[in-house]
Amino acid sequence: MTQGDRASWGIGLRILSGVLGAGMFICVKAVSDEVPLGEIVFFRSFFAFIPLIVFLWLRNEFPGGLRTKRPWAHVTRSAFGALALFTSFAAIARLNVAEAILIAQLSPVLMAIAAVFLLSERLTIWRVLGLALGFAGVVVLVWPELGGTSGSPERLIGYLIGLVSAVLSALALIMVRNLNQTESPGAIAFYFVLASLIGALLTLPLGWVIPDPQTLVLLMASGLFGGFAHITMTLAFRYAQASRLAPFEYLALFWPLLADLFIFQLPLSSAFLLAAPLILAGAIVAAAEGGRRAGQRRTTG
């Protein structure tokens, strides 16, 4: 396979990963009014195990690849990741799918800022600019909910939960960067799903429901979509460099937009249309700054 063919495979897999991820969020949105949050996370995590374990077994990484010398690092990373999953699903229950996914795009910006404090990386003008653009986009997005009689407290709570999810995701990604130096991606993914499953089971005393057949199919599909989305993402980075795939990260927002318009029949607000370019610009600036640093390391290495 030529280098161009490998890159094409990587790009195709990254686009497919975005479609599968959107499928997961659509399923979660569809059941969020009837099924408790913890139960949704349980089904998402349990059925994500099926494709993940098969994938690891085919790569001869199960169970041997799950051994680790840094169990507590996995515990910490998985805890942040599980909390991010809970809060992202809670945000989707209160917002349009596209709005929740848009706020999640703040994670790369927040990760770049967090690296300054947690990894002693240098604070650059690009990181400050990315944060400023992202913050401006969030202000534009939530402004209609902050004042006037048309504001919705429930949606404002959704925005706040979405921001918390973005912060937790950024912290989890920082830990993944550190774990990737010694641990396999399969082990990192496995322990994250396991932590999410355990966290979901702890909510059982709060009351779960017996889903009807249609809801059960959607719950199962959310896990399968999520599991396959992670696998295709992993394979994408196997075939193409992160810098080559970065522009296609933002195509993932297109599918939730279509879902809101044609499945949930939710109109796009003017605030969303104004906020989206700002938040995406902030994420692009952060990603471009990260790509430059990676290129510099390869040049000087």
Side-chain angles (χ1 to χ4, degrees):
M1 185 182 293
T2 66
Q3 190 67 26
D5 290 337
R6 289 178 62 86
S8 297
W9 269 99
I11 291 169
L13 287 165
R14 179 62 191 94
I15 294 173
L16 177 59
S17 176
V19 174
L20 293 169
M24 177 191 71
F25 287 117
I26 290 168
C27 291
V28 169
K29 177 68 173 177
V31 302
S32 59
D33 288 337
E34 293 83 24
V35 182
L37 175 61
E39 188 173 354
I40 295 174
V41 174
F42 171 81
F43 275 93
R44 189 275 181 211
S45 303
F46 182 83
F47 284 94
F49 263 131
I50 298 173
L52 179 59
I53 290 176
V54 171
F55 177 66
L56 294 176
W57 180 74
L58 290 174
R59 297 183 64 178
N60 296 318
E61 294 182 6
F62 187 84
L66 302 182
R67 298 191 191 95
T68 176
K69 296 180 179 179
R70 304 174 62 190
W72 289 112
H74 278 287
V75 168
T76 305
R77 184 273 163 193
S78 298
F80 276 106
L83 288 171
L85 188 64
F86 270 88
T87 49
S88 68
F89 286 179
I92 284 173
R94 293 165 173 82
L95 303 172
N96 295 2
V97 181
E99 291 172 333
I101 302 301
L102 179 63
I103 294 178
Q105 299 295 331
L106 289 170
S107 290
V109 181
L110 296 173
M111 183 180 70
I113 297 298
V116 174
F117 301 98
L118 300 178
L119 302 180
S120 300
E121 293 187 2
R122 188 164 55 91
L123 181 64
T124 65
I125 185 62
W126 299 105
R127 297 184 182 193
V128 174
L129 177 60
L131 182 63
L133 288 168
F135 179 75
V138 171
V139 170
V140 170
L141 191 62
V142 304
W143 190 259
E145 317 301 333
L146 293 177
T149 57
S150 61
S152 167
E154 183 73 5
R155 285 174 55 79
L156 182 59
I157 292 172
Y159 289 131
L160 293 175
I161 294 174
L163 284 172
V164 171
S165 179
V167 171
L168 291 169
S169 295
L171 293 172
L173 288 171
I174 285 284
M175 296 172 193
V176 168
R177 278 178 52 180
N178 182 264
L179 280 169
N180 271 331
Q181 299 174 11
T182 58
E183 308 292 299
S184 72
I188 296 172
F190 181 89
Y191 292 122
F192 156 63
V193 175
L194 181 62
S196 300
L197 187 66
I198 294 172
L201 285 173
L202 293 177
T203 70
L204 185 58
L206 299 179
W208 286 10
V209 299
I210 299 176
D212 59 56
Q214 180 179 349
T215 301
L216 180 61
V217 169
L218 289 170
L219 287 168
M220 295 167 61
S222 71
L224 294 173
F225 277 132
F228 281 113
H230 181 86
I231 291 169
T232 49
M233 172 77 81
T234 300
L235 291 174
F237 284 103
R238 188 178 185 182
Y239 287 108
Q241 295 179 347
S243 58
R244 187 75 181 270
L245 297 176
F248 300 94
E249 298 281 337
Y250 312 108
L251 184 61
L253 185 62
F254 180 69
W255 317 117
L257 280 173
L258 293 180
D260 283 338
L261 290 173
F262 297 108
I263 297 178
F264 301 111
Q265 297 182 343
L266 299 172
L268 298 178
S269 66
S270 57
F272 176 88
L273 296 175
L274 292 172
L278 291 170
I279 293 177
L280 292 178
I284 290 170
V285 167
E289 196 266 348
R292 278 191 296 272
R293 288 189 293 109
Q296 291 171 356
R297 285 196 297 268
R298 285 194 298 268
T299 302
T300 59

